[in-house]
Amino acid sequence: MAAAPARRVELGFAEPAPAWRLRSEQFPSKVGGRPAWLGEAALPGPAALGCARCGRPLAFLLQVYAPLPGRADAFHRCLFLFCCREPPCCAGLRVFRNQLPRKNEFYSYEPPSENPSPETESVCLQLRSGAHLCRVCGCLGPKTCSRCHQAHYCSKEHQTLDWRLGHKQACTQDHLDHTVPDHNFLFPEFEIVIETEEEIVPEVVEKEEDFEITGSMGLEFLSGRGWQEARGNIKMSYKVTLKLSPTLDIGCSGSSFHLGCASEYH
C-alpha cells in the first residue's frame, strides 16, 4: 500500500514573551492572561461568557490569530476560547470569532511595528471605543462599584473577589490605582509561536500478529511486541492531534463575535 503524501501542518508552542508583543495591536496568538480583543465593538457580554452549568464567569484560555487569505472581510481574524475553571465543572468550553477588514477604525492599514512600545505596569481597563473592562478577567465590565463608580466588573462574583483583594482599601481614593492585584483567576500568559511542520505519516504495519489495537480516539494503544516498535509513531500522532490550525474556517462571515458557529468544532 502506497503511503499517503505528507501534508504541511501548523503547530503552536507556548513560549514566554514581553508584554508589548501580547497587545491587541500586535495581533497575537497567546495563552492565558486577559484577552487581547481584536475588534473593540460588539464584544461578548457577561451573559455570553457565563458557564451554562454553574453560571460562573468563564475564564479566557487562549486566542489564535487566524486570517483568511483571499477574504477581504477577514484580513484580521481571531478565535477566542473560554472555559469554566471552577470545580466540579472545569468544562463549558465556548468559542468566539471576530474579524475585520484591513481598513478599519481600530488599527493601522500598515503592519504593526516590531519595535517595542513603552512598558507600563498598569493594565489597560478601557478600550479606545470607550468600553470598560472587568478588573479581574478583562472582559466587558458593565457593572461598577456602587461607592467609587470607577471600578468595573463583569459580574458580582468578580466584584466580590476584587473587593477582598484590595479594592476595599482603594475604593475611597479620589483616583483609582489601575495596578490590578493577582486575583488567581487568570491562566499564566504565554505567546503561541506558530511553526510549520510536515506531518509524518507512520509506516503501514503488514504483520497483524505483531500488535493488537485496543483503543481509538486518534491514538493506537498497542500490546505485545508491537508496542516498542510503534511507540515513536504514537508520540507523533499525539503531537499532530494537538496542532493549532490558524486557517480553520468555521463557515460564517461578518465582523461581530459569533458563538453559534463554534459548534462546527465538535
Side-chain angles (χ1 to χ4, degrees):
M1 181 183 295
R7 57 191 177 92
R8 301 178 71 85
V9 297
E10 292 185 325
L11 305 175
F13 301 89
E15 297 183 1
W20 69 272
R21 287 185 56 86
L22 304 179
R23 296 173 180 168
S24 297
E25 59 269 20
Q26 295 293 324
F27 309 110
S29 293
K30 74 186 192 79
V31 175
R34 293 172 173 80
W37 297 112
L38 178 60
E40 297 188 359
L43 300 184
L49 289 171
C51 177
R53 180 175 178 180
C54 69
R56 294 185 178 91
L58 298 177
F60 169 72
L61 180 57
L62 63 84
Q63 66 185 73
V64 178
Y65 182 67
L68 291 179
R71 286 275 298 272
D73 62 333
F75 185 88
H76 298 299
R77 180 171 173 268
C78 198
L79 305 177
F80 296 83
L81 176 62
F82 291 79
C83 69
C84 181
R85 60 178 304 174
E86 294 291 337
C89 286
C90 295
L93 293 176
R94 199 162 298 179
V95 179
F96 297 88
R97 175 179 60 82
N98 190 214
Q99 62 190 48
L100 295 169
R102 183 171 184 177
K103 186 177 182 180
N104 60 79
E105 59 182 310
F106 303 115
Y107 305 105
S108 170
Y109 188 84
E110 301 301 325
S113 173
E114 288 297 325
N115 297 321
S117 55
E119 296 286 349
T120 58
E121 295 184 359
S122 61
V123 177
C124 180
L125 295 173
Q126 184 174 11
L127 303 176
R128 288 172 294 180
S129 62
H132 292 275
L133 302 178
C134 175
R135 280 171 55 87
V136 176
C137 66
C139 299
L140 275 183
K143 302 179 182 295
T144 59
C145 174
S146 59
R147 291 180 60 183
C148 68
H149 300 286
Q150 298 183 66
H152 293 259
Y153 306 97
C154 68
S155 61
K156 183 67 175 179
E157 289 87 348
H158 284 183
Q159 181 180 5
T160 302
L161 180 60
D162 190 47
W163 181 263
R164 295 200 309 262
L165 295 179
H167 184 61
K168 181 178 181 179
Q169 291 73 30
C171 187
T172 56
Q173 299 178 5
D174 293 335
H175 298 285
L176 184 64
D177 184 3
H178 287 290
T179 301
V180 180
D182 180 10
H183 299 95
N184 197 29
F185 178 80
L186 303 175
F187 290 102
E189 189 174 34
F190 297 94
E191 182 181 17
I192 298 177
V193 178
I194 307 266
E195 296 183 4
T196 302
E197 178 176 298
E198 291 186 355
E199 182 177 10
I200 299 178
V201 180
E203 295 181 0
V204 177
V205 180
E206 297 180 355
K207 295 183 179 181
E208 296 183 358
E209 65 274 11
D210 282 351
F211 65 92
E212 177 185 358
I213 298 177
T214 61
S216 56
M217 297 299 290
L219 292 176
E220 293 180 342
F221 296 85
L222 310 180
S223 61
R225 288 176 293 167
W227 170 257
Q228 296 296 330
E229 298 171 357
R231 182 170 53 185
N233 291 338
I234 292 176
K235 181 178 180 181
M236 179 56 65
S237 297
Y238 183 69
K239 183 178 181 181
V240 171
T241 300
L242 294 182
K243 67 180 182 294
L244 298 175
S245 180
T247 59
L248 181 63
D249 187 3
I250 51 181
C252 62
S253 60
S255 60
S256 299
F257 279 85
H258 290 256
L259 174 58
C261 55
S263 61
E264 297 292 334
Y265 283 103
H266 299 290

